[in-house]
Amino acid sequence: MRVLLTGAAGFVGTAIAARLREEGHEVVGVDAMIPQAHGSGSVSPSGVHRVDVRDPDSWRHLLEGVDAVCHQAAMVGAGTSVVDMPLYAGHNDLGTAVLLATMAAEGPNRLVLASSMVVYGEGRYTCAHHGSQSPVPRAVASLEEGDFDHECSVCGGRLEWALVEESAPPDPRSSYAASKVAQENFAAAWARQVSGSVVALRYHNVYGPGMPRDTPYSGVAAIFRSAVEAGRPPQVFEDGRQMRDFVHVDDVARANVLALEGVVAAPPHSVCAYNICSGIPIEVRQVAEYVSSGLGRTATPVITGEYRAGDVRHVVASPGKAAADLGFRARIPPSEGLARFATDPLR
């Protein structure tokens, strides 16, 4: 299979390219090499064409003979400031729209799209007495007092987290999240208009070798690692008990290969989304502990009680649909992968 891979020089894209080649597929890599991801003055790696998908004239010819497109290129990060909205809308949404329009004109009509868990906003919550709940945003006054949990709207008791399935309605809380919802919507509209097929992979917190260090693209695992290496205890927001899922980049790359093989055989007009996660929820403070142990240190995380407006309390995905449809199950548990990540090479 010949695959056009956008974002091929990025953290996840590099891992996907390597996995595709290992499986015997041909990769046509493109990357805009934006400074936010690669630093100023970065040179594209060998075999990666430096082009911006927002400019179809610069890369249209690269679609020749391609069987499917794996679209990883995006501006990522928290996207908590409205000032950044044009960046997210430009790179993520306009870029995806141009890609899809060019694919409609040149082919192919098979797409794997990198999406994210952030499309869900808050996760899923239940009350032991009153069942499923849709909590309202946490009040600033409660956060200031160190009360971080959601409460049942009926009895006022603490809500417990539950697994989020792909059928959950989107509820974006940031510019980045809104752009990911838009990408999925553009892709779905494209599939229905051109008899295409789309698989959207909603990544949870990806980590592993090649992750950027000390940039807006750095995940919390890399931030914790930098602190421990510098002899500082990791700083953990809220009470450290926020539940998340951390999935290794090698598992993410394998999920993309499975999705590409599946989307090529999919019927026209099919649009599917899948959670790509480890299936092993952990507390954020445990991430700091695993990373510290991997460095051979016992750096006790500092629970700061600080918070960021718009942050969600818990979001943990169900891995069941990806397992059933794609045959994807993560192979690297967070306890092992995060400890190993402590000494993995970073960029």
Side-chain angles (χ1 to χ4, degrees):
M1 178 167 51
R2 182 177 171 90
V3 178
L4 179 79
L5 174 64
T6 73
F11 167 45
V12 175
T14 298
I16 294 171
R19 183 78 188 195
L20 281 168
R21 293 188 177 106
E22 287 173 9
E23 299 284 336
H25 301 295
E26 182 181 357
V27 177
V28 181
V30 301
D31 200 298
M33 303 299 296
I34 61 174
Q36 293 90 338
H38 302 280
S40 300
S42 295
V43 177
S44 57
S46 175
V48 175
H49 303 271
R50 184 166 189 167
V51 295
D52 190 330
V53 295
R54 295 173 297 178
D55 177 17
D57 291 335
S58 66
W59 63 272
R60 180 182 284 115
H61 66 286
L62 297 174
L63 281 171
E64 184 176 347
V66 164
D67 300 296
V69 172
C70 185
H71 185 34
Q72 304 293 316
M75 176 79 69
V76 304
T80 55
S81 171
V82 296
V83 175
D84 294 332
M85 281 186 173
L87 284 173
Y88 288 97
H91 283 281
N92 299 0
D93 303 337
L94 176 60
T96 299
V98 171
L99 171 66
L100 294 170
T102 310
M103 289 172 65
E106 307 289 336
N109 61 352
R110 299 289 187 265
L111 174 72
V112 172
L113 170 69
S115 188
S116 171
M117 62 158 186
V118 297
V119 302
Y120 297 124
E122 283 286 356
R124 182 171 161 232
Y125 295 86
T126 62
C127 171
H129 303 290
H130 300 100
S132 295
Q133 299 279 312
S134 297
V136 299
R138 296 178 293 176
V140 171
S142 296
L143 296 172
E144 289 286 352
E145 294 173 0
D147 182 6
F148 301 112
D149 286 307
H150 288 290
E151 297 179 350
C152 174
S153 60
V154 180
C155 67
R158 188 180 74 177
L159 295 180
E160 301 295 335
W161 61 268
L163 296 179
V164 180
E165 297 182 343
E166 290 84 348
S167 58
D171 183 22
R173 303 294 181 91
S174 67
S175 303
Y176 174 57
S179 74
K180 282 296 171 183
V181 173
Q183 281 186 304
E184 288 197 22
N185 288 338
F186 276 125
W190 168 85
R192 294 182 177 105
Q193 292 177 55
V194 304
S195 299
S197 298
V198 175
V199 170
L201 302 180
R202 294 172 178 167
Y203 302 158
H204 283 246
N205 297 275
V206 186
Y207 69 96
M211 195 174 192
R213 178 197 292 271
D214 302 329
T215 77
Y217 281 52
S218 300
V220 67
I223 294 170
F224 288 161
R225 169 175 159 167
S226 293
V228 176
E229 287 177 331
R232 304 189 307 271
Q235 306 284 307
V236 181
F237 280 11
E238 299 191 13
D239 59 1
R241 297 184 180 275
Q242 309 94 302
M243 297 301 298
R244 297 290 189 271
D245 189 299
F246 283 76
V247 59
H248 196 277
V249 70
D250 289 351
D251 281 324
V252 171
R254 190 165 50 83
N256 273 272
V257 175
L258 290 170
L260 283 162
E261 293 170 346
V263 80
V264 166
H269 310 291
S270 63
V271 180
C272 297
Y274 297 99
N275 292 322
I276 301 302
C277 56
S278 72
I280 304 174
I282 61 173
E283 295 179 348
V284 171
R285 64 177 182 175
Q286 288 181 283
V287 177
E289 292 166 357
Y290 288 145
V291 171
S292 297
S293 68
L295 287 166
R297 306 178 190 179
T298 55
T300 303
V302 173
I303 309 301
T304 66
E306 296 179 39
Y307 63 89
R308 293 187 303 188
D311 274 1
V312 301
R313 179 59 172 165
H314 306 299
V315 56
V316 180
S318 168
K321 186 180 177 184
D325 292 2
L326 300 179
F328 171 74
R329 294 175 178 82
R331 295 174 178 171
I332 304 173
S335 57
E336 172 191 328
L338 286 166
R340 198 167 72 201
F341 169 72
T343 54
D344 279 336
L346 302 183
R347 65 169 65 193

